[in-house]
Amino acid sequence: MIVVMKEGAREEEVQAVVSLLQGKGLETHLSQGAEKTIIGIIGPKERVLGMPIESMAGVEKVVRVSNPFKLASRAFHPQDTLVQVGPHVVGGANPVIIAGPCSVESREQILEIAHAVKRSGAHMLRGGAFKPRSSPYSFQGLGEEGLKLLAEAREVTGLPVVSEVMDIEALPMMLEYVDVLQIGARNMQNFPLLRAVGKTDKPVLLKRGLSATIEEWLMSAEYILSEGNRNVILCERGIRTFEKYTRNTLDLNAVPVVQYYSHLPVIVDPSHGVGHSRYVLAMARAGIAAGAHGLIVEVHPRPQEALSDGEQSLTLEDFDQMMREVTRVAEAVHGVEAPVYVPGR
Amino acid sequence: MIVVMKEGAREEEVQAVVSLLQGKGLETHLSQGAEKTIIGIIGPKERVLGMPIESMAGVEKVVRVSNPFKLASRAFHPQDTLVQVGPHVVGGANPVIIAGPCSVESREQILEIAHAVKRSGAHMLRGGAFKPRSSPYSFQGLGEEGLKLLAEAREVTGLPVVSEVMDIEALPMMLEYVDVLQIGARNMQNFPLLRAVGKTDKPVLLKRGLSATIEEWLMSAEYILSEGNRNVILCERGIRTFEKYTRNTLDLNAVPVVQYYSHLPVIVDPSHGVGHSRYVLAMARAGIAAGAHGLIVEVHPRPQEALSDGEQSLTLEDFDQMMREVTRVAEAVHGVEAPVYVPGR
Amino acid sequence: MIVVMKEGAREEEVQAVVSLLQGKGLETHLSQGAEKTIIGIIGPKERVLGMPIESMAGVEKVVRVSNPFKLASRAFHPQDTLVQVGPHVVGGANPVIIAGPCSVESREQILEIAHAVKRSGAHMLRGGAFKPRSSPYSFQGLGEEGLKLLAEAREVTGLPVVSEVMDIEALPMMLEYVDVLQIGARNMQNFPLLRAVGKTDKPVLLKRGLSATIEEWLMSAEYILSEGNRNVILCERGIRTFEKYTRNTLDLNAVPVVQYYSHLPVIVDPSHGVGHSRYVLAMARAGIAAGAHGLIVEVHPRPQEALSDGEQSLTLEDFDQMMREVTRVAEAVHGVEAPVYVPGR
Amino acid sequence: MIVVMKEGAREEEVQAVVSLLQGKGLETHLSQGAEKTIIGIIGPKERVLGMPIESMAGVEKVVRVSNPFKLASRAFHPQDTLVQVGPHVVGGANPVIIAGPCSVESREQILEIAHAVKRSGAHMLRGGAFKPRSSPYSFQGLGEEGLKLLAEAREVTGLPVVSEVMDIEALPMMLEYVDVLQIGARNMQNFPLLRAVGKTDKPVLLKRGLSATIEEWLMSAEYILSEGNRNVILCERGIRTFEKYTRNTLDLNAVPVVQYYSHLPVIVDPSHGVGHSRYVLAMARAGIAAGAHGLIVEVHPRPQEALSDGEQSLTLEDFDQMMREVTRVAEAVHGVEAPVYVPGR
């Protein structure tokens, strides 16, 4: 960290800052320019996190020069992390496709979808059993019954299943049934929940919060990693912007940025990201072209009858078309001379 | 709700929408204009919430015409709700001031602050025992020890205490010690937690999420109200904007807007709202002038030594000055011919 | 437009709204539901734009049901618009690539770049002669000298040139030298300038404003179209979000959304969109995969010596690599069974 | 500025940066920490503005440590700037109130309003003659005829007049008729226009852009100041946020922040800031309580008949009420021991 003193800061003011820092066991380094004095702080940065140096007399501002995440950083772990889920690897050259309904609605529905997406080439099955809804009066999911149906669908198709965990109480039950624990966007900074999933060894799909910066998202991954669970998959699912023609704004910039700063795999959710099925194919192709390690997509055989998110669900036919399109794009991208990401490039 | 058909939508398309709606037991009302056909839906709106009418052929968009909150709405409860906390009433003409440190740090610290803010005229004491921190490496609060110290400070000063509950596990413990349960900004859409505090009868201070709309905030209040707890106090604490000179942007517009749409009391947190102690007095005065029912303010005897949020904490002297200033502003506002808010105006 | 009356609005209040509207020559259509009364307004919507119906007694809100743009809408002009620039067509199946430096800096620089990007397959040359800079102390461009150098580069390479026009005074001079007039993001709502370029027949590259919605952007296109100039090319160049690791957030969702609502061609600027050269290739590929009609990219032989935007400029080698990658992606996308956009789909 | 090298940056990489900087005549200052090397740059910062040091090998990031504005900064001019407009001073202890219609609509309208707001105590008259409208089909103002009517209203009431200038062409005409030139939010970064008004000595009311940071706003003031015109009044008019219940979000935090960083007077526009007349009184009171040097408010005798912005216009009676309320708040604020702003506090 660097403390920038105001122009004309007095010698005593500079000394007060230096003394405070040294009193905390930090080494300081002074640079005196024509206009300003700068105090570099050398040492474990955590010690200064809570110190209100900016409110001291003569201080203009404090500038952080390191990223706050460690275990999630590429500096700490230069190779790409690969997360194994059943027979599939998330984080390698082959994009992994996760598909399924927003909510598990019935045995027929989930089995029909599971068989269909498997036929089209999907690698995993998604489906919500506990749904975070902004209204207490909306459909909240089938609960444990939904988890059992997911497990049955896995048994008959072989597809690993992904489902959202909303609170710590439900975690033991989720661990019984699912292969990947999803942390939803609204829980990205539910720190007790992050710690709890961090204490398991189950793969975690961590969605980016609606208005979270990439740094905050990686700090949430850090919470999970710091408890010992290294199987974190990041998922970009759209951020809130001023745009009204889309539900959210899928931020594909996050794909190469995450790959630059972190070793964790990153996949893309074009369904929530854009919110209308008519735009999902274009954004799925774009996500793969940007270098994402996979996609998670909402699919429903009859979107008009879906109990939630019907507007953004692909039909089974649209999904099949999507698989063909993204396969061609993936070949185009991975066939070019330069791979999607070269560490250290 | 209203379904707007595209220009040139075919008769069959219109009929398909009407049939779907009527099949769900909804009454429809057709308006045919020169350019467009509009289908009004009459009946409980919840039934259509999950239906993807926008993805049907010929449909341009679906427009919601009612606010989604009910118990939180002024239409449902025209009079201002008053929340009793110990001897104080939140929601009436007299602003209620809550003050204290970001975190409880030690017995000496919390007692010194409690005595001082009481002397200056504060009505309640705040202090965090469980802290949501974006880094897992930052100070996370003293836990139950902090709650005990708050209870001791209450005993010696008579000030009711406010503290944040971060998860359902900790709720029974919190209920023992605190007078007001705070739900933090990051948990505004932690729906299981909202339901859990809704099942108690303890007053709840519900902070607005970092990027939440006022509608979403009122829907989170609706979660609490719908479980039976009517003692909800809203707290505006700053939203995320592009501005870098402030930590957040305190949105004082929310004060009259909430008072227009809802009967719930609304207070203002200028400390988190603006994030630098040098701006807190101005925003505290402005909050009261906007008609807020109270303030919650961070105070620390030695901000430079605070373990968290030192930058935005007022000294004891600054707080005393703030109390004198906001008292004069409150008199000016409540003395004018038009009171701060006239229901139905 | 639809006027939604409050629950319990009185008959006189409904009549007052109806009378006001009918007094302006508008036909109204009343729907009375169990809870609310709705007044549909049939007739040219412009007449009600300035009327503050929302402030009338008993009115809850006014809902607009049509998009405000006309000439820019796909309903008005179902086929894709093709804009001819020299020998190239913008808006068809073949993406058009525009490349060049942020600013024209010298004769050597612009000629070296023009020759190089042509060799790599670019279709047009970009270069700023008048630069909008947030600081009055930054390099503001070479002015007319820069335009002359662009014209010379066109002469020797055959590449049409694109350059930004910042004010009406400079327009006659720009018309002499350039093939495409660029309207920068900061001028997207400079309405007198939009009208002025609308009075010419020169192709206009209209960049999206930093925080503009797609609707506002299309309304700015409408300003140009309404003056008679149909040669408008839209350019997505990144919007402002909370993200700090990128300069802007390239919003690729805008590509299929614009293609749904409008017939105008839309290209993508990954250089400004993401702001760091290390992410430009990924976003260029993604833009083409999303279905963009072209790219505009900043290129500099020695980015470290660029007078502006060096951070986001590709080297000549990187640009050559980009061309190979986007060509493969374009083939993958346009070769699939479903083309990028099917009108009316 | 400070260049932060990556952990493990090689000696040659550090030297390459140092050499580049020294080659531009800048003095550098090296700090080597345990983890990172930092290069402080001492000397006129403009020289490095265009240099893409961040894209050099081994560089992690470049951190700016000074604010980019100079003439607008309080460091440059510690005393508050006072702008004289006719008999009134903007920037002193007494708030200056500017009131009038959104648009000048007719002789009767502007004279009726001018007389009424003067009676209630307003100091200046506002009124638009050239209107920036997002639709080319909306009312665009009366043009020069509107300016003449404003001048007539000034003659009969003595109120100085404020009106918006939209382009350089119209500037000479504006200078003849108006006392304060308003630069609208959409033109905050219309740099040629800023330079043009900077070359006059007419007071300029510079509105903050819809999504502008305070730093960008002060840089736009810098454009005007750098041409020689020191009579700049800043006007906070609401920023764009995700909130839908208000038209914009009036950012009152900007008032103390501007007063901290700059010497220029800052006033508040609650009408555009919140967009509904029912919230304007609360926000007007709050603006004065925050320490604003004045208000600019839209007033119309019959808002339902206004040709623009009727929804946010106060009636003449509401405005009279507002004047009484803000006067009491102003007395409360300026009567307290601590004045609204103490330079250097």
Side-chain angles (χ1 to χ4, degrees), chain C residues 50 52 54 133-137 140 167-169 186 189-192 195 211 216 219 222-223 240 276 303-304 306 310-311, chain D residues 49-50 52 54 133-137 140 167-169 186 189-192 195 211 216 219 222-223 240 276 303-304 306 310-311:
Chain C
E54 271 195 31
R133 303 301 299 270
S134 51
S135 169
Y137 311 121
Q140 312 270 324
D167 53 78
I168 301 176
E169 281 78 3
R186 286 174 183 75
Q189 292 196 319
N190 183 335
F191 302 119
R195 285 197 190 281
S211 299
E216 290 168 334
M219 285 307 288
E222 188 84 12
Y223 259 94
R240 183 165 279 191
H276 293 279
Q304 293 167 20
E311 266 179 53
Chain D
L49 282 180
E54 271 194 31
R133 303 302 298 271
S134 51
S135 168
Y137 312 121
Q140 312 269 325
D167 52 78
I168 300 176
E169 281 78 3
R186 285 174 184 75
Q189 293 195 319
N190 183 334
F191 302 119
R195 286 197 190 281
S211 299
E216 290 168 334
M219 285 307 287
E222 188 84 12
Y223 260 93
R240 183 164 278 190
H276 292 280
Q304 293 167 21
E311 264 179 54

Coordinates of all heavy atoms in Angstrom, one line a residue, chain C residues 50 52 54 133-137 140 167-169 186 189-192 195 211 216 219 222-223 240 276 303-304 306 310-311, chain D residues 49-50 52 54 133-137 140 167-169 186 189-192 195 211 216 219 222-223 240 276 303-304 306 310-311:
Chain C
G50 N -45.5 15.2 -23.7 CA -45.2 16.2 -22.7 C -46.3 16.4 -21.6 O -46.2 17.2 -20.8
P52 N -48.2 15.7 -18.3 CA -47.8 15.1 -17.0 C -49.0 14.3 -16.4 O -49.4 14.6 -15.3 CB -47.5 16.3 -16.2 CG -48.4 17.3 -16.7 CD -48.6 17.0 -18.2
E54 N -49.1 11.5 -15.1 CA -48.8 10.9 -13.8 C -49.0 11.8 -12.6 O -49.1 11.3 -11.5 CB -47.3 10.4 -13.8 CG -47.2 9.0 -14.4 CD -45.9 8.3 -14.1 OE1 -45.3 8.6 -13.0 OE2 -45.5 7.5 -14.9
R133 N -10.9 14.7 -25.3 CA -10.1 14.2 -24.2 C -10.6 14.8 -22.9 O -11.0 16.0 -22.9 CB -8.6 14.7 -24.4 CG -7.9 14.2 -25.6 CD -7.9 12.7 -25.8 NE -7.2 12.1 -24.7 CZ -5.9 11.8 -24.8 NH1 -5.2 12.1 -25.9 NH2 -5.3 11.2 -23.8
S134 N -10.7 14.0 -21.9 CA -11.3 14.5 -20.6 C -10.5 15.6 -20.0 O -11.0 16.4 -19.2 CB -11.6 13.4 -19.7 OG -10.5 12.6 -19.5
S135 N -9.2 15.7 -20.3 CA -8.4 16.8 -19.8 C -8.0 17.8 -20.9 O -7.6 17.4 -22.0 CB -7.1 16.2 -19.3 OG -6.2 17.3 -19.0
P136 N -8.2 19.1 -20.6 CA -7.8 20.1 -21.6 C -6.3 20.1 -21.9 O -5.8 20.7 -22.8 CB -8.3 21.4 -21.0 CG -8.3 21.2 -19.6 CD -8.7 19.7 -19.4
Y137 N -5.5 19.4 -21.0 CA -4.1 19.4 -21.2 C -3.5 18.2 -21.9 O -2.3 18.1 -22.1 CB -3.4 19.5 -19.8 CG -4.1 20.6 -18.9 CD1 -4.7 20.3 -17.7 CD2 -4.1 21.9 -19.3 CE1 -5.2 21.2 -16.9 CE2 -4.7 22.9 -18.5 CZ -5.3 22.6 -17.3 OH -5.8 23.5 -16.6
Q140 N -4.7 16.8 -28.3 CA -6.0 16.9 -28.8 C -6.1 16.6 -30.3 O -7.1 16.8 -30.9 CB -6.5 18.4 -28.6 CG -6.3 19.0 -27.2 CD -7.5 18.7 -26.3 OE1 -8.6 18.8 -26.7 NE2 -7.2 18.5 -25.0
D167 N -17.7 18.7 -33.9 CA -18.6 19.8 -33.9 C -19.0 20.2 -35.3 O -18.4 19.9 -36.3 CB -18.0 21.0 -33.1 CG -16.7 21.4 -33.6 OD1 -16.6 22.1 -34.6 OD2 -15.7 21.0 -32.9
I168 N -20.1 21.0 -35.3 CA -20.7 21.4 -36.6 C -19.7 22.2 -37.4 O -19.6 22.0 -38.7 CB -22.0 22.1 -36.4 CG1 -23.0 21.2 -35.6 CG2 -22.6 22.5 -37.7 CD1 -24.3 21.8 -35.3
E169 N -18.9 23.1 -36.8 CA -18.0 23.9 -37.5 C -17.0 23.1 -38.4 O -16.7 23.5 -39.5 CB -17.1 24.7 -36.5 CG -17.7 25.9 -35.9 CD -18.7 25.5 -34.8 OE1 -18.8 24.3 -34.5 OE2 -19.4 26.4 -34.3
R186 N -19.3 10.4 -26.4 CA -19.7 11.6 -25.7 C -20.6 12.5 -26.4 O -21.2 13.4 -25.8 CB -18.4 12.4 -25.2 CG -17.7 11.7 -24.1 CD -16.4 12.3 -23.8 NE -15.7 11.6 -22.8 CZ -15.0 10.4 -23.0 NH1 -15.0 9.9 -24.2 NH2 -14.4 9.8 -22.0
Q189 N -25.6 12.2 -27.7 CA -26.8 13.0 -27.5 C -26.5 14.5 -27.8 O -27.2 15.3 -27.2 CB -27.5 12.7 -26.2 CG -28.0 11.3 -26.1 CD -29.0 11.1 -24.9 OE1 -28.8 11.6 -23.9 NE2 -30.1 10.4 -25.2
N190 N -25.6 14.8 -28.7 CA -25.3 16.1 -29.1 C -26.3 16.3 -30.3 O -25.9 16.1 -31.5 CB -23.9 16.3 -29.5 CG -23.5 17.7 -30.0 OD1 -24.4 18.4 -30.4 ND2 -22.3 18.0 -29.9
F191 N -27.5 16.7 -30.0 CA -28.6 16.7 -31.0 C -28.3 17.6 -32.2 O -28.6 17.2 -33.3 CB -29.9 16.9 -30.4 CG -30.2 15.9 -29.3 CD1 -30.4 16.3 -28.0 CD2 -30.3 14.5 -29.6 CE1 -30.7 15.3 -27.0 CE2 -30.5 13.6 -28.6 CZ -30.8 14.0 -27.3
P192 N -27.8 18.8 -32.0 CA -27.5 19.6 -33.2 C -26.5 19.0 -34.1 O -26.7 19.0 -35.3 CB -27.0 20.9 -32.6 CG -27.5 21.0 -31.2 CD -27.6 19.5 -30.7
R195 N -28.3 16.2 -36.1 CA -29.1 16.8 -37.2 C -28.2 17.2 -38.3 O -28.5 17.0 -39.5 CB -29.8 18.0 -36.7 CG -31.0 17.7 -35.8 CD -31.9 18.9 -35.7 NE -33.0 18.8 -34.7 CZ -34.1 18.1 -34.9 NH1 -34.3 17.5 -36.0 NH2 -35.0 18.1 -33.9
S211 N -23.2 5.5 -21.0 CA -24.3 4.9 -20.2 C -25.6 4.9 -20.8 O -26.6 4.9 -20.2 CB -24.3 5.7 -18.9 OG -23.1 5.7 -18.2
E216 N -32.1 4.7 -26.2 CA -31.6 6.0 -26.4 C -30.6 6.1 -27.6 O -30.6 7.1 -28.4 CB -30.8 6.5 -25.2 CG -31.7 6.8 -24.0 CD -31.0 6.9 -22.7 OE1 -29.8 6.4 -22.5 OE2 -31.5 7.6 -21.8
M219 N -32.7 6.1 -30.6 CA -33.3 7.4 -30.8 C -32.3 8.4 -31.4 O -32.7 9.4 -32.1 CB -33.8 8.0 -29.4 CG -35.1 7.3 -29.0 SD -36.4 7.3 -30.2 CE -36.9 9.0 -30.2
E222 N -32.3 7.8 -34.8 CA -33.5 8.3 -35.4 C -33.3 9.8 -35.8 O -33.9 10.3 -36.8 CB -34.6 8.2 -34.3 CG -36.0 8.6 -34.8 CD -36.7 7.4 -35.6 OE1 -36.3 6.3 -35.5 OE2 -37.8 7.7 -36.2
Y223 N -32.6 10.6 -34.9 CA -32.3 12.0 -35.3 C -31.6 12.1 -36.6 O -32.0 12.9 -37.4 CB -31.4 12.6 -34.2 CG -32.1 13.4 -33.2 CD1 -32.5 12.9 -32.0 CD2 -32.3 14.8 -33.4 CE1 -33.1 13.7 -31.0 CE2 -32.9 15.6 -32.4 CZ -33.3 15.0 -31.2 OH -34.0 15.8 -30.3
R240 N -20.3 2.0 -19.3 CA -19.7 2.1 -18.0 C -20.4 1.2 -17.0 O -21.6 1.1 -16.9 CB -19.9 3.6 -17.6 CG -19.3 4.0 -16.2 CD -19.2 5.5 -16.1 NE -18.1 6.0 -16.8 CZ -17.6 7.3 -16.6 NH1 -18.3 8.1 -15.8 NH2 -16.5 7.7 -17.3
H276 N -7.8 -2.9 -22.6 CA -6.4 -3.5 -22.4 C -6.2 -4.4 -23.6 O -7.0 -5.3 -23.9 CB -6.3 -4.3 -21.1 CG -6.4 -3.4 -19.9 ND1 -5.4 -2.7 -19.4 CD2 -7.4 -3.2 -19.1 CE1 -5.8 -2.1 -18.3 NE2 -7.0 -2.3 -18.1
P303 N 2.9 0.5 -29.4 CA 2.0 1.1 -28.5 C 2.6 1.9 -27.4 O 2.0 2.8 -26.9 CB 1.3 -0.2 -27.9 CG 1.4 -1.2 -29.0 CD 2.7 -0.9 -29.6
Q304 N 3.8 1.6 -27.0 CA 4.4 2.3 -25.9 C 4.7 3.7 -26.3 O 5.0 4.6 -25.4 CB 5.7 1.6 -25.4 CG 5.4 0.3 -24.8 CD 6.6 -0.5 -24.6 OE1 7.7 0.0 -24.6 NE2 6.5 -1.8 -24.5
A306 N 2.6 5.5 -28.4 CA 1.4 6.1 -28.8 C 1.1 7.4 -28.0 O 1.3 7.4 -26.8 CB 0.2 5.2 -28.8
G310 N -2.5 4.0 -25.9 CA -1.5 3.0 -26.2 C -1.9 1.6 -25.5 O -1.6 0.6 -26.0
E311 N -2.4 1.7 -24.3 CA -2.7 0.5 -23.6 C -3.7 -0.5 -24.3 O -3.6 -1.6 -24.0 CB -3.5 0.9 -22.3 CG -2.6 1.1 -21.1 CD -3.4 1.5 -19.9 OE1 -4.4 0.7 -19.6 OE2 -3.1 2.5 -19.3
Chain D
L49 N 0.6 11.1 -19.5 CA -0.8 10.7 -19.6 C -1.0 9.7 -20.8 O -1.8 8.8 -20.7 CB -1.6 11.9 -19.9 CG -2.0 12.7 -18.6 CD1 -2.8 13.9 -18.9 CD2 -2.7 11.8 -17.6
G50 N -0.3 9.9 -21.9 CA -0.6 9.1 -23.1 C 0.3 7.8 -23.1 O 0.2 7.1 -24.1
P52 N 1.6 4.2 -22.5 CA 0.9 3.0 -22.1 C 1.8 2.1 -21.2 O 2.2 1.0 -21.6 CB 0.7 2.3 -23.4 CG 1.8 2.7 -24.2 CD 2.2 4.1 -23.8
E54 N 1.3 0.6 -18.6 CA 0.7 -0.6 -18.1 C 0.8 -1.8 -19.0 O 0.7 -2.9 -18.6 CB -0.8 -0.4 -17.8 CG -1.0 0.1 -16.4 CD -2.5 0.0 -15.9 OE1 -3.2 -0.9 -16.4 OE2 -2.9 0.8 -15.1
R133 N -33.9 17.2 -26.5 CA -34.9 16.1 -26.3 C -34.5 14.8 -26.9 O -33.9 14.8 -28.0 CB -36.2 16.6 -26.9 CG -36.8 17.9 -26.5 CD -37.0 18.0 -25.0 NE -38.0 17.0 -24.5 CZ -39.3 17.3 -24.5 NH1 -39.8 18.5 -24.8 NH2 -40.2 16.3 -24.1
S134 N -34.7 13.7 -26.2 CA -34.2 12.5 -26.7 C -34.9 12.0 -28.0 O -34.4 11.2 -28.7 CB -34.2 11.4 -25.6 OG -35.5 11.3 -25.0
S135 N -36.1 12.6 -28.2 CA -36.8 12.3 -29.5 C -36.8 13.5 -30.4 O -37.1 14.6 -30.0 CB -38.3 11.9 -29.2 OG -39.0 11.9 -30.4
P136 N -36.5 13.3 -31.7 CA -36.6 14.4 -32.6 C -38.0 14.9 -32.8 O -38.2 15.9 -33.5 CB -36.0 13.8 -33.9 CG -36.2 12.3 -33.8 CD -36.1 12.0 -32.3
Y137 N -39.0 14.1 -32.4 CA -40.4 14.5 -32.6 C -41.0 15.3 -31.4 O -42.1 15.7 -31.5 CB -41.2 13.2 -32.9 CG -40.5 12.3 -33.9 CD1 -40.2 11.0 -33.6 CD2 -40.2 12.8 -35.2 CE1 -39.6 10.2 -34.6 CE2 -39.6 12.0 -36.1 CZ -39.3 10.7 -35.8 OH -38.7 9.9 -36.7
Q140 N -39.1 21.2 -29.2 CA -37.7 21.5 -29.1 C -37.5 23.0 -28.6 O -36.3 23.4 -28.6 CB -37.0 21.4 -30.5 CG -37.4 20.0 -31.2 CD -36.4 18.9 -30.9 OE1 -35.2 19.2 -30.7 NE2 -36.9 17.7 -30.8
D167 N -25.3 24.8 -28.6 CA -24.2 24.6 -29.6 C -23.6 26.0 -29.8 O -24.1 27.0 -29.5 CB -24.7 24.0 -30.9 CG -25.9 24.7 -31.5 OD1 -25.7 25.8 -32.0 OD2 -27.0 24.2 -31.3
I168 N -22.4 25.9 -30.4 CA -21.5 27.1 -30.5 C -22.2 28.1 -31.4 O -22.1 29.3 -31.2 CB -20.1 26.7 -31.1 CG1 -19.5 25.8 -30.1 CG2 -19.3 27.9 -31.3 CD1 -18.1 25.2 -30.6
E169 N -22.9 27.7 -32.5 CA -23.6 28.6 -33.4 C -24.5 29.5 -32.6 O -24.7 30.7 -33.0 CB -24.5 27.8 -34.4 CG -23.7 27.2 -35.5 CD -23.1 25.9 -35.1 OE1 -23.2 25.6 -33.9 OE2 -22.3 25.4 -35.9
R186 N -26.2 16.6 -20.9 CA -25.8 15.8 -22.1 C -24.6 16.5 -22.8 O -23.9 15.9 -23.6 CB -26.9 15.7 -23.1 CG -27.9 14.6 -22.6 CD -29.1 14.6 -23.5 NE -30.1 13.7 -22.9 CZ -30.9 14.0 -21.8 NH1 -30.8 15.1 -21.3 NH2 -31.7 13.1 -21.4
Q189 N -19.6 16.9 -21.6 CA -18.3 16.6 -22.2 C -18.3 17.0 -23.7 O -17.6 16.4 -24.5 CB -17.9 15.1 -22.0 CG -17.6 14.9 -20.5 CD -16.9 13.6 -20.3 OE1 -17.2 12.6 -20.9 NE2 -15.9 13.6 -19.4
N190 N -19.0 18.0 -24.0 CA -19.0 18.6 -25.4 C -17.9 19.6 -25.3 O -18.1 20.8 -25.0 CB -20.3 19.3 -25.7 CG -20.4 19.8 -27.1 OD1 -19.3 20.2 -27.7 ND2 -21.5 20.0 -27.7
F191 N -16.6 19.1 -25.5 CA -15.5 20.0 -25.2 C -15.4 21.2 -26.1 O -15.0 22.3 -25.5 CB -14.2 19.1 -25.3 CG -14.2 17.9 -24.4 CD1 -14.2 16.6 -24.8 CD2 -14.3 18.1 -23.0 CE1 -14.2 15.5 -24.0 CE2 -14.4 17.0 -22.1 CZ -14.3 15.7 -22.6
P192 N -15.7 21.2 -27.4 CA -15.7 22.5 -28.1 C -16.6 23.5 -27.5 O -16.3 24.7 -27.4 CB -16.1 22.1 -29.5 CG -15.8 20.6 -29.6 CD -16.0 20.0 -28.2
R195 N -15.0 25.0 -24.4 CA -14.0 26.0 -24.7 C -14.6 27.3 -25.1 O -14.2 28.4 -24.8 CB -13.1 25.4 -25.8 CG -12.2 24.3 -25.4 CD -11.1 24.2 -26.5 NE -10.2 23.1 -26.3 CZ -9.2 23.0 -25.5 NH1 -8.9 24.1 -24.7 NH2 -8.5 21.9 -25.3
S211 N -24.0 10.3 -16.0 CA -23.2 9.2 -15.3 C -21.8 9.7 -15.1 O -20.9 8.9 -14.9 CB -23.2 8.0 -16.3 OG -24.5 7.5 -16.5
E216 N -14.7 13.9 -13.4 CA -15.0 14.2 -14.7 C -15.7 15.6 -14.8 O -15.4 16.4 -15.7 CB -15.8 13.2 -15.4 CG -15.1 11.9 -15.7 CD -16.0 10.7 -16.1 OE1 -17.2 10.8 -15.7 OE2 -15.5 9.8 -16.7
M219 N -13.2 18.2 -14.3 CA -12.4 18.4 -15.5 C -13.1 19.2 -16.6 O -12.5 19.9 -17.3 CB -12.0 17.0 -16.0 CG -10.9 16.3 -15.2 SD -9.5 17.3 -14.9 CE -8.7 17.2 -16.6
E222 N -12.7 22.5 -15.6 CA -11.3 22.9 -15.9 C -11.2 23.4 -17.4 O -10.5 24.4 -17.6 CB -10.4 21.7 -15.7 CG -8.9 22.0 -15.8 CD -8.3 22.5 -14.5 OE1 -9.0 22.4 -13.4 OE2 -7.2 23.0 -14.6
Y223 N -11.9 22.8 -18.3 CA -11.9 23.2 -19.7 C -12.4 24.7 -19.8 O -11.8 25.5 -20.5 CB -12.9 22.4 -20.5 CG -12.2 21.3 -21.4 CD1 -12.1 20.0 -20.9 CD2 -11.7 21.6 -22.6 CE1 -11.5 19.0 -21.7 CE2 -11.1 20.6 -23.4 CZ -11.0 19.3 -22.9 OH -10.4 18.3 -23.7
R240 N -27.7 8.8 -13.1 CA -28.5 7.6 -13.5 C -28.1 6.5 -12.6 O -26.9 6.2 -12.3 CB -28.1 7.3 -14.9 CG -28.8 6.1 -15.5 CD -28.7 6.1 -17.0 NE -29.6 7.0 -17.7 CZ -29.8 7.0 -19.0 NH1 -29.2 6.2 -19.8 NH2 -30.7 7.8 -19.5
H276 N -40.2 13.8 -9.9 CA -41.6 13.9 -9.6 C -41.9 15.0 -8.6 O -41.2 15.1 -7.6 CB -42.1 12.5 -8.9 CG -42.0 11.4 -9.8 ND1 -43.0 11.1 -10.7 CD2 -41.1 10.4 -10.0 CE1 -42.7 10.0 -11.4 NE2 -41.6 9.6 -11.0
P303 N -49.0 22.5 -14.2 CA -48.1 21.5 -14.7 C -48.7 20.6 -15.8 O -48.1 20.0 -16.6 CB -47.7 20.7 -13.5 CG -47.9 21.7 -12.4 CD -49.0 22.6 -12.8
Q304 N -50.1 20.3 -15.7 CA -50.7 19.4 -16.6 C -50.7 19.9 -18.0 O -50.9 19.2 -19.0 CB -52.1 19.1 -16.2 CG -52.2 18.3 -14.9 CD -53.5 18.3 -14.2 OE1 -54.5 18.5 -14.9 NE2 -53.6 18.0 -13.0
A306 N -48.1 21.8 -19.2 CA -46.7 22.1 -19.6 C -46.3 21.3 -20.9 O -46.8 20.2 -21.1 CB -45.7 21.7 -18.5
G310 N -43.7 18.4 -17.2 CA -44.8 18.8 -16.3 C -44.8 18.0 -15.0 O -45.1 18.5 -13.9
E311 N -44.4 16.7 -15.1 CA -44.4 15.8 -14.0 C -43.6 16.3 -12.8 O -43.8 16.0 -11.7 CB -43.8 14.5 -14.3 CG -44.9 13.5 -14.7 CD -44.2 12.2 -15.1 OE1 -43.4 11.7 -14.3 OE2 -44.5 11.7 -16.2

